[in-house]
Amino acid sequence: SDVALFKATHLNMSFSLTLANNADINAFLESRSYVIGFAPTQSDVALFKAIGSTPDAKAFPNVARFFAHIASFSEDARSRWPAGVSTSAGAAAGAGAGAGGPAKGKKKPVESDSDSDDMFADSDDEDPKAKAKAKAKAAAAKAKAAAAKKTKKPKAKKIEMTQCVYEVKPLEAGQDMKKLEESIRALTLDGLTWGEQFGVVDVAFGIQKMLIQCVIINEKVDTASIEELLESLEDQVQSVDLATMNRL
């Protein structure tokens, strides 16, 4: 019968794994970065050697990812990784390069029960620390992103404004137009700015009218409000008409 490409077991059966070919390995690594836990161990080195050479990335993307990741470490660095679980593997040369066929060869001797217990215990000791570190890092990144979003200044909203010209007819002929201008300028509204100069135009028979300019903020003031404001000068103003209006 075919010899399994890679085996990893533990005496108390809390961890038992048999991978016969690249297809098995690809399925096993779909949600894992390492054989066991969150940090590399000698179990990963054993699986790396069992695969042997770069697999077909299209057919076995997870195997290719794992192989490239482990290969990125030097042999010296891999030799210093802690023990994982007791493992055995088939012949390493070309074992994983094919389309998932089983590899045959001599198996590495299985370590003693006591050694297996020690190695499995080491992995348990490291996993919670690595998991806690990863969780803390993710929480810190989330907090940093939230703080950056909170401190980001909102884009300034464009203020829409309109320039208006009104014709103001005084109550009677010969009226003091300078006094009328002073009275108009004394009128205020939030969002209203009077123009720098008011003009006086002769109409007929000594009657005059005043042309006044103003700029209004559209969200705060409308033309009807300006007309009502001017008409509030009942003892000086006869009528108010909007002559021109231009958006700025």
Side-chain angles (χ1 to χ4, degrees), residues 34 40-50 52 66-84:
Y34 303 105
T41 66
Q42 290 304 313
S43 294
D44 297 291
V45 176
L47 180 56
F48 173 76
K49 291 181 178 179
F66 173 83
F67 190 87
H69 176 55
I70 301 303
S72 66
F73 296 91
S74 67
E75 186 175 351
D76 181 61
R78 292 196 294 266
S79 68
R80 294 196 298 270
W81 289 350

Side-chain angles (χ1 to χ4, degrees), residues 36 39-45 78-87 111 115-127:
I36 185 169
T41 66
Q42 290 304 313
S43 294
D44 297 291
V45 176
R78 292 196 294 266
S79 68
R80 294 196 298 270
W81 289 350
V85 293
S86 178
T87 61
E111 297 178 14
D115 289 342
S116 296
D117 289 338
D118 290 342
M119 287 185 290
F120 196 77
D122 288 345
S123 179
D124 283 344
D125 289 342
E126 291 172 359
D127 292 351

Side-chain angles (χ1 to χ4, degrees), residues 4 10 18 22-23 32 34 42 62 65 90 104 110 122 141 144 148 154 157-158 167-168 176 189 198 200:
H10 188 262
T18 299
N22 271 346
R32 294 175 174 83
Y34 303 105
Q42 290 304 313
N62 300 321
R65 167 181 54 78
K104 299 181 179 180
V110 178
D122 288 345
K144 185 177 180 180
K157 184 179 180 181
K158 182 181 178 181
E167 291 183 356
V168 180
D176 187 345
L189 274 179
F198 289 177
V200 177

Side-chain angles (χ1 to χ4, degrees), residues 171-192:
L171 192 62
E172 56 187 11
Q175 189 169 322
D176 187 345
M177 301 302 281
K178 186 175 181 181
K179 182 179 179 181
L180 176 59
E181 179 179 346
E182 291 175 351
S183 298
I184 292 174
R185 290 188 180 281
L187 301 173
T188 60
L189 274 179
D190 182 25
L192 166 66

